[in-house]
Amino acid sequence: TNHSDAELAFAKVQEMLVKVLPIAADNLLETGGIVALVGPTGVGKTTTIGKLAAKFILKQGSSQVALITTDNYRIAAHEQLNTYGRILDVPVRVASSAEELRSLINGFADKRLVLIDTAGMSQRDMKLVEQINTLQQNEVSIRSYLVMSAATEYKAMNAIIKAFSVFDPQATILTKLDEAVTIGSAISSIIEHNLPLSFIADGQQVPEDIHSPNARS
């Protein structure tokens, strides 16, 4: 059937991912930390935060996790994050300045994992960059992960990586593998920029549809 053909093709794609992509060495779900997900609008950052939080909670418990959003533009993003907060029984806060972000992070010092959801900003909106840079200078170590859709074409992917390089992302999370007709361009771009792959996501289910790429070997 077509369904099994699609599944076979998808399995081959996943095998290919494992072989050719640089894989992130850190294991976020074991070590935790303060992590900001950055990337363009519509790539599924908020859903990815829900998945990562849920996975971490399964191993470490809900008392260990907090969620922060710096997205002051989209009410829907707040609502989605608040829904995850209620379901997962973790606090959700909004930061509209570097001071608020610092204060919230300090207040969550007892949490093993603090996930920061960010606005899918254009490259001209440098407000968040300023927030994160301010915090880095104040010895708060925020790790950035660049979230991108596997369905993005090569030129656009390169432009995104370039635009978000100001965050110095240590790894990338590739979403929407289930929607991508071809992921060759995404792979090429990630390999070219030597941006290690930390997670792949292939659906809307929380937390099932997110995987560590090394788990496919």
Side-chain angles (χ1 to χ4, degrees):
T1 67
N2 290 342
H3 186 60
S4 62
D5 286 350
E7 280 182 357
L8 187 64
F10 191 63
K12 282 187 176 168
V13 163
Q14 285 174 325
E15 274 173 43
M16 189 171 78
L17 269 177
V18 173
K19 284 177 189 154
V20 298
L21 276 173
I23 303 298
D26 77 314
N27 190 345
L28 172 66
L29 295 177
E30 299 296 333
T31 56
I34 304 162
V35 172
L37 296 198
V38 301
T41 305
V43 295
K45 288 188 296 293
T46 309
T47 304
T48 301
I49 281 195
K51 290 173 181 176
L52 292 173
K55 288 256 189 202
F56 196 84
I57 286 165
L58 287 171
K59 293 182 178 186
Q60 321 276 359
S62 60
S63 63
Q64 299 296 320
V65 178
L67 309 178
I68 299 173
T69 179
T70 61
D71 187 344
N72 298 303
Y73 311 104
R74 292 186 312 129
I75 299 300
H78 286 191
E79 286 173 358
Q80 191 183 357
L81 205 64
N82 282 329
T83 301
Y84 290 141
R86 280 196 303 275
I87 293 166
L88 301 170
D89 193 27
V90 297
V92 178
R93 302 284 181 271
V94 182
S96 51
S97 68
E99 286 67 36
E100 279 183 23
L101 193 51
R102 183 188 303 119
S103 165
L104 288 169
I105 287 170
N106 289 340
F108 289 139
D110 61 325
K111 307 292 182 191
R112 286 195 54 199
L113 179 66
V114 177
L115 291 167
I116 304 169
D117 195 11
T118 65
M121 59 172 197
S122 72
Q123 56 206 74
R124 289 180 297 278
D125 183 359
M126 289 293 127
K127 210 165 155 190
L128 180 63
V129 183
E130 285 164 24
Q131 285 179 29
I132 285 188
N133 287 345
T134 306
L135 287 166
Q136 302 291 30
Q137 286 152 23
N138 284 276
E139 291 165 20
V140 175
S141 174
I142 300 176
R143 306 206 306 276
S144 294
Y145 284 69
L146 177 55
V147 184
M148 296 187 290
S149 163
T152 311
E153 55 101 12
Y154 180 70
K155 235 173 147 178
M157 200 97 169
N158 285 342
I160 291 163
I161 292 173
K162 199 174 170 190
F164 285 89
S165 65
V166 286
F167 289 104
D168 193 21
Q170 68 165 58
T172 184
I173 298 173
L174 212 49
T175 62
K176 308 200 175 187
L177 260 81
D178 54 319
E179 293 177 23
V181 178
T182 170
I183 62 160
S185 58
I187 287 177
S188 301
S189 196
I190 289 171
I191 293 168
E192 215 169 287
H193 291 87
N194 197 29
L195 195 57
L197 184 65
S198 192
F199 296 96
I200 53 175
D202 54 7
Q204 291 296 312
Q205 289 186 96
V206 176
E208 295 86 350
D209 294 338
I210 192 162
H211 317 282
S212 298
N214 60 353
R216 296 291 180 203
S217 54

